[in-house]
Amino acid sequence: MRRLQGRVAIVTGGASGIGSATVQRLAQEGAQVVSTDLAAQRHGASGAALCLVHDVRDEAQWITVVEATLQRFGRLDILVNNAGITGAQPIEEVTLEHWNTMLAVNLTGTMLGCKHGVLAMRDNPGGPSGSIINISSMAGFIGMAQTPAYNATKGGVRLLTKSVAVRCASAYRGIRCNSLHPGAIDTPIHERRLSASPDREAARSAMDALQPVGRMGTADEMAACIAFLASDDASFVTGTELVADGGWLADGGSTRLPPTVVQNDSAI
Ligand SMILES: NC(=O)c1ccc[n+]([C@@H]2O[C@H](COP(=O)([O-])OP(=O)(O)OC[C@H]3O[C@@H](n4cnc5c(N)ncnc54)[C@H](O)[C@@H]3O)[C@@H](O)[C@H]2O)c1
């Protein structure tokens, strides 16, 4: 399918996991994709037209990334605010450093992306147009005992998305903004905790069991959802939540996750 022929996209956190799969998928569908990630991250063979070093916490770097995209490709049609971090500290133990870091990357980074994405999309040749996809989480819907900071950021992303969508719907018409809410997806974000687990297989099985379908999702499955939201197939879809969780939310949320699995470092 070449639904995105001629479109120009920015994907943050494009060097790994859902971001990397999204870069590939958008490119396969015809988009010119700018993949951004931290300096320390190696961008693999991703299909990206341009790879840029970018810390989403830094507004000056956002300006540079958008300017470089416009200079090279002349427009911006798709922005995927995907870069994110996770970590567990229950509320009695949460440090200000943990809280501020989580907010800076997951929420402030997404807000800055929306701001500079909208500014660029507003001025697209031919008039305002574009699609912003913010990667939230199941943690944007349900509370998890070990991850108050992560929960707060993903809930924040969910409502930030709606505010941006409503503003753009009335002010610019052609710019849409939606959030994606993955369940447990098999990416490197879980590696630290799985590696630290005394029984990796058991920990992995517990992650699979979170989803009523009995398995974790794949990054490619998330990329397919993102491609849909980016495309004209979603032309009347804005301000909404696409939940892609193997039925987890429909089945009542996180209750099946054993405490031994979450107590170290888990956030979905
Ligand atoms: N994997 C899951 O189960 C899952 C579930 C729900 C939501 N999510 C969300 O999906 C997104 C992608 O997660 P993933 O599983 O692919 O993780 P991942 O760790 O594989 O990839 C995240 C990428 O973000 C980058 N990143 C981190 N901090 C950054 C910063 N300050 N600036 C720029 N880039 C930064 C990392 O370098 C990494 O390449 C995240 O927002 C995450 O919260 C993941």
Side-chain angles (χ1 to χ4, degrees), residues 12-20 36-42 54-58 61 81-86 101 104-106 110 135-139 150 153-154 180-190 207 211 216-217 219 222 248 267-268:
T12 69
S16 176
I18 294 169
S20 171
T36 82
D37 211 304
L38 292 173
Q41 291 284 336
R42 193 178 57 84
H54 177 204
D55 186 333
V56 297
R57 294 171 289 189
D58 185 334
Q61 292 189 32
N81 283 308
N82 164 77
I85 55 173
T86 185
T101 302
V105 178
N106 292 0
T110 302
I135 311 307
S136 177
S137 168
M138 279 289 293
Y150 188 75
T153 65
K154 293 303 185 178
L180 176 69
H181 299 260
I185 311 303
D186 192 3
T187 74
I189 208 169
H190 301 294
M207 298 293 289
Q211 283 75 209
M216 293 175 85
M222 298 307 104
W248 184 9
I268 306 302

Side-chain angles (χ1 to χ4, degrees), residues 205-216:
S205 296
M207 298 293 289
D208 285 334
L210 278 171
Q211 283 75 209
V213 295
R215 65 171 177 86
M216 293 175 85

Side-chain angles (χ1 to χ4, degrees), residues 64-86:
T64 303
V65 163
V66 171
E67 276 178 3
T69 304
L70 297 178
Q71 210 162 38
R72 177 84 171 261
F73 302 110
R75 56 186 301 117
L76 178 64
D77 302 293
I78 300 159
L79 170 62
V80 185
N81 283 308
N82 164 77
I85 55 173
T86 185

